[in-house]
Amino acid sequence: MAKRGLCKQIVEAGGEYLFTVKANQPTLMDDIVTLFADPPMKPAEAVQRNRHGDRREVRRLQAPSALNEYSDWPYLTQVCRIEREVSRKGQTKREVAYAVTSLWSHEAGPRRLLELNRGHWGIENWLNYVRDMTFGEDASQVRTWAAPQVMAAMRNATIGLLRLAAATNIAAALRRNAAHPEEALALLGISYTCQ
């Protein structure tokens, strides 16, 4: 159980965790779903509303601390139910996700947990968007042996190098480096002059 070990390692090294619980942790997922199906008391809650054009989004996070006494999950102090409702053009989609954290309620109440959860997706979307839209990763035909992992590592390394070079627009930076290969090589510490 890699996630359990990682949670333990993070806290014992002085950190805290907030992880989304997925189907690959069936016991923990079942415990959390059961808790929210019949909560022993009304859980603390935070709601965040956003609007962008014709799109409205409501995020609601509930965070009881009831499960921490019954679960053997490492350093578990709170569980969260995160409901996301998106309305656009008369259609509404709802999603529910669950998370666990080692943060005590006095360290991170529902509002802070909602911010942390949202921030995580912002970081992931920031990277995934660039990998898919700029590098076309989802359309890649590379599918055999270790090639997909190698290509993903190369994309990540390229993005990392460009971000270290203060690039805010990866697509523009790639175009610039294609037109000026000596600048791309300089990022790698290689000196080259075109003749």
Side-chain angles (χ1 to χ4, degrees):
M1 296 220 156
K3 187 79 74 149
R4 291 177 69 92
L6 181 59
C7 289
K8 190 173 183 211
Q9 183 180 0
I10 288 169
V11 173
E12 290 175 359
E16 302 291 348
Y17 67 80
L18 171 65
F19 283 118
T20 301
V21 178
K22 299 193 177 172
N24 63 351
Q25 298 293 340
T27 304
L28 182 60
M29 177 69 94
D30 289 346
D31 290 346
I32 295 171
V33 170
T34 301
L35 172 68
F36 282 101
D38 187 21
M41 64 184 83
K42 183 168 172 43
E45 182 176 276
V47 178
Q48 185 181 71
R49 299 177 198 293
N50 295 315
R51 185 174 186 153
H52 184 71
D54 66 345
R55 180 180 177 198
R56 289 180 296 138
E57 185 175 346
V58 178
R59 289 179 184 269
R60 178 174 288 111
L61 182 140
Q62 297 176 323
S65 57
L67 192 62
N68 61 352
E69 296 173 16
Y70 303 103
S71 177
D72 65 346
W73 194 262
Y75 301 101
L76 173 70
T77 60
Q78 295 185 85
V79 296
C80 309
R81 180 180 190 271
I82 306 145
E83 184 179 340
R84 181 174 169 242
E85 183 178 294
V86 178
S87 300
R88 186 174 190 186
K89 297 183 181 180
Q91 294 185 350
T92 300
K93 291 184 191 175
R94 287 182 180 83
E95 298 173 352
V96 174
Y98 299 97
V100 293
T101 183
S102 62
L103 292 162
W104 290 93
S105 58
H106 66 274
E107 296 173 304
R111 183 171 310 283
R112 180 69 180 134
L113 292 173
L114 192 56
E115 290 169 2
L116 290 169
N117 180 261
R118 178 90 176 181
H120 158 75
W121 286 112
I123 292 167
E124 185 165 320
N125 288 341
W126 187 49
L127 178 61
N128 287 345
Y129 181 84
V130 170
R131 284 174 43 176
D132 187 32
M133 299 307 290
T134 304
F135 289 97
E137 186 172 67
D138 287 349
S140 174
Q141 297 290 315
V142 178
R143 303 211 192 293
T144 58
W145 302 90
Q149 290 87 357
V150 170
M151 291 302 296
M154 290 174 65
R155 290 182 195 106
N156 287 342
T158 302
I159 293 167
L161 279 170
L162 293 173
R163 295 249 190 255
L164 282 172
T168 55
N169 183 324
I170 299 299
L174 289 172
R175 287 190 298 272
R176 170 96 184 150
N177 285 321
H180 303 278
E182 68 281 0
E183 291 179 19
L185 292 171
L187 289 172
L188 300 170
I190 300 170
S191 177
Y192 176 80
T193 54
C194 295
Q195 297 185 13

